[in-house]
Amino acid sequence: QYTKDKKKVLETTMIKNIIFDIGNVILKFSRDFLLSSIYTGEDYELLKEKLFCDWEQLDEDLISLTDYETKVLNSLPKRLHSYALAVLNNWEYFMRYTKGTRELIAELKQKGYKLYILSNMTRHFIEREYKFPIFDLFDGIVYSAPIKMIKPNPEIYEYILAKYSLNPTECLFIDDMKTNLATAARFGIKTFLYCDNTEQLRDYIFNLSNH
């Protein structure tokens, strides 16, 4: 009887905290859209390969942007250097809000949900976060670079739960990558796979709240 009651409690725990990823959840990040906006020449695939080959090192702050630029430039012919630098220093300009997410976030805030960010993100973006006013609505933000942890490593989930004293069973995590969601689920966090399905996400959140 105890086990059955405990299970029932877990199933009906209210979602109070909603944790968002940024890339391809709040802001659309397409490497092809970014690069093709700056360069469409015959060396497109080479430039794409070298620009993004070790991007995760920037997310985890294992390399500075200056050193990453040097590494990329050393791997490319000089005729491509200006294009590479244009991408590395201006890529946030090519991130667009995903459809309906700004409105949903504002609605969730108005309804009293606590909102958080958990995102693999470089220092470059963090310094330019002010360009996206939507982040002012969040109660807490955890970026990977300052703490040198990236998803899907369990440590970054432990970090956000501890930092904001969150009960995992009261949390919903939204990400566009199944591997990131799988780790969150291990902590008892509810998860939602985002793929430009904002209305489905909205329905899912409010259905959870009504049970």
Side-chain angles (χ1 to χ4, degrees):
Q1 183 64 38
Y2 170 78
T3 304
K4 185 177 179 181
D5 289 344
K6 184 179 179 183
K7 183 179 180 183
K8 185 177 180 182
V9 168
L10 287 173
E11 287 176 346
T12 57
T13 299
M14 293 288 288
I15 295 300
K16 300 177 181 178
N17 314 299
I18 302 180
I19 307 169
F20 286 82
D21 177 34
I22 292 179
N24 295 320
V25 175
I26 297 175
L27 297 172
K28 196 77 174 171
F29 179 67
S30 165
R31 293 176 178 183
D32 283 309
F33 176 77
L34 163 60
L35 183 53
S36 64
S37 299
I38 292 174
Y39 178 83
T40 55
E42 62 182 12
D43 295 306
Y44 181 90
E45 290 300 329
L46 172 65
L47 189 55
K48 181 180 176 181
E49 177 194 347
K50 299 304 181 182
L51 275 171
F52 301 111
C53 64
D54 290 315
W55 194 265
E56 290 75 16
Q57 290 188 347
L58 289 170
D59 283 339
E60 201 168 356
D61 204 35
L62 299 178
I63 188 171
S64 69
L65 180 59
T66 302
D67 288 344
Y68 191 84
E69 288 175 351
T70 301
K71 180 179 177 179
V72 170
L73 295 183
N74 286 341
S75 69
L76 291 169
K78 286 188 177 180
R79 67 180 181 276
L80 298 177
H81 284 194
S82 61
Y83 300 111
L85 290 172
V87 170
L88 292 173
N89 288 289
N90 300 287
W91 58 268
E92 81 282 356
Y93 285 102
F94 300 91
M95 298 180 82
R96 303 98 68 207
Y97 284 106
T98 52
K99 186 177 179 181
T101 48
R102 276 183 294 182
E103 294 80 5
L104 176 59
I105 288 165
E107 182 180 4
L108 293 171
K109 184 71 174 180
Q110 189 273 330
K111 289 183 180 294
Y113 289 93
K114 294 292 185 181
L115 305 178
Y116 300 91
I117 293 287
L118 179 62
S119 183
N120 290 350
M121 197 58 77
T122 70
R123 288 189 180 274
H124 171 89
F125 178 86
I126 297 167
E127 292 166 0
R128 291 157 178 79
E129 175 201 83
Y130 65 88
K131 296 180 180 181
F132 303 97
I134 194 69
F135 297 121
D136 293 339
L137 295 181
F138 284 83
D139 297 280
I141 296 178
V142 171
Y143 291 127
S144 60
I147 59 173
K148 298 183 185 295
M149 303 176 192
I150 58 172
K151 299 176 294 182
N153 295 342
E155 292 84 358
I156 197 168
Y157 300 87
E158 293 172 346
Y159 182 91
I160 190 171
L161 292 172
K163 181 177 176 66
Y164 297 110
S165 301
L166 303 178
N167 178 346
T169 64
E170 296 176 346
C171 296
L172 171 66
F173 177 50
I174 303 153
D175 201 288
D176 65 314
M177 297 183 65
K178 290 181 179 179
T179 53
N180 295 337
L181 296 175
T183 304
R186 285 164 46 190
F187 288 90
I189 299 170
K190 287 186 172 60
T191 62
F192 184 91
L193 180 64
Y194 186 85
C195 46
D196 293 321
N197 51 348
T198 307
E199 278 305 309
Q200 186 181 344
L201 170 59
R202 184 184 184 280
D203 291 344
Y204 181 75
I205 291 171
F206 294 129
N207 283 336
L208 281 178
S209 301
N210 291 331
H211 284 83

